[in-house]
Amino acid sequence: MRIVCLAGGIGGARFLRGLKAAAPDADITVIGNTGDDITLFGLRVCPDLDTVMYTLGGGINEDQGWGRAAETFTVKEELAAYGMEPQWFGLGDRDVATHIVRTQMLSAGYTLAEVTQALCARWQPGVRLIPMTNDRAETHVVVGEEHARRAIHFQEWWVRERASIPAQEFAVIGADVAQPAPGVLEAIAEADLVIFPPSNPVVSIGTILQVQGIREALNPKTVVGVSPIIGRAPVRGMADACLTAIGVETTAQAVLELYGTPLINGWLVAEEDKGVALDGVTVEAVPLLMSTPDTTRALAEATLSLALRA
Ligand code: FO1
């Protein structure tokens, strides 16, 4: 079975671990969000691609959901000793090696897709990980009151400000011209099933859907999504701050409507959200918490089962 998943960071990566367990023989292509990418100290950092690669490759810092396990921060400390900014973004020594390889290959003219393939040759994530685009498509967040609007990088908003200042708008710089990376549209066209794991619907899945042609390529496909919201709160992360910023309620119903039909055919919600409904969508209530490998696998199995009926 050929499966395509649109994935952001932690929630998507965790779900993918369960999907691999539930469908060990499936051919899984992950289209990774690159809107979070940032250049720091001259190094290109791709948080969502690295979270998928490290999580499926066995190198992730499990508690954080990002960065490497058994990490040290000597480089970070030395940069701080020189007074280098920013100091609010924690680059670990092991993680820096990934960014050096990526930056060196990009400077040599390789595309981000080629670089990602090269990094995955070491990590063997067991899926084909393709960035949504090789072009620049970086999420910036517009903040500030009416007459004092300014845009900051997504990581400044997410990490430095902890999403504590209201976002007036998310702008994916470059999305208007960014083309899908080679293989993205082909993987979608050949897919038996497309899954939206419980990634952030605004700044992860929503960003991928802004890349030219991706939403159109998905419309005719069977797409099953997993709600990232249980009750009125995100399972993890700050999807609520993102949804509020775009005027969408933090509920499983509102996120389903945000994706809408004909994009979504099946929607998995938590037991307490079983009233969720939308014409043309098969909705099913299942346990959504990915607290153990078994519950994560069970969620993936429920997703595959729903896909057969959606
Ligand atoms: N998130 C934080 O909250 N604090 C950090 O210092 C931090 C560093 C970091 C370094 C590399 C990386 O790949 C991710 C990192 N993240 C950090 C997480 C990152 O902001 C998020 O994973 C995504 O951008 C949101 O999905």
Side-chain angles (χ1 to χ4, degrees), residues 2-191:
R2 292 178 297 246
I3 303 173
V4 165
C5 287
L6 272 56
I10 302 159
R14 291 223 164 115
F15 177 86
L16 283 161
R17 220 167 17 194
L19 183 62
K20 280 175 64 181
D25 301 330
D27 171 298
I28 302 172
T29 298
V30 178
I31 299 172
N33 171 44
T34 59
D36 296 5
D37 296 3
I38 186 169
T39 296
L40 292 172
F41 314 113
L43 298 176
R44 192 65 179 161
V45 179
C46 300
D48 281 354
L49 297 179
D50 291 347
T51 283
V52 171
M53 183 174 74
Y54 290 155
T55 299
L56 300 185
I60 194 73
N61 176 315
E62 195 61 49
D63 297 337
Q64 280 177 174
W66 51 265
R68 285 291 309 281
E71 189 56 284
T72 53
F73 292 91
T74 304
V75 169
K76 181 174 179 346
E77 288 155 14
E78 287 301 300
L79 287 167
Y82 283 111
M84 285 286 279
E85 288 296 341
Q87 298 182 24
W88 45 266
F89 199 80
L91 283 181
D93 299 326
R94 295 177 187 275
D95 199 30
V96 162
T98 298
H99 311 317
I100 291 172
V101 172
R102 177 182 293 119
T103 305
Q104 181 165 307
M105 288 186 72
L106 290 172
S107 308
Y110 291 96
T111 65
L112 182 59
E114 290 164 332
V115 172
T116 305
Q117 197 174 5
L119 294 170
C120 286
R122 170 192 172 185
W123 288 102
Q124 296 294 311
V127 301
R128 184 170 56 247
L129 176 57
I130 312 178
M132 66 187 196
T133 179
N134 284 326
D135 305 322
R136 184 166 187 255
E138 223 172 71
T139 303
H140 286 228
V141 185
V142 176
V143 296
E145 292 317 309
E146 194 70 39
H147 305 298
R149 284 277 198 286
R150 61 194 174 92
I152 59 177
H153 188 283
F154 171 76
Q155 295 297 347
E156 289 182 276
W157 183 69
W158 187 264
V159 178
R160 194 185 62 203
E161 308 299 340
R162 308 302 313 155
S164 63
I165 47 177
Q168 305 299 335
E169 180 196 346
F170 294 104
V172 182
I173 309 299
D176 53 331
V177 292
Q179 293 304 307
V184 165
L185 296 184
E186 294 80 356
I188 292 172
E190 292 160 11

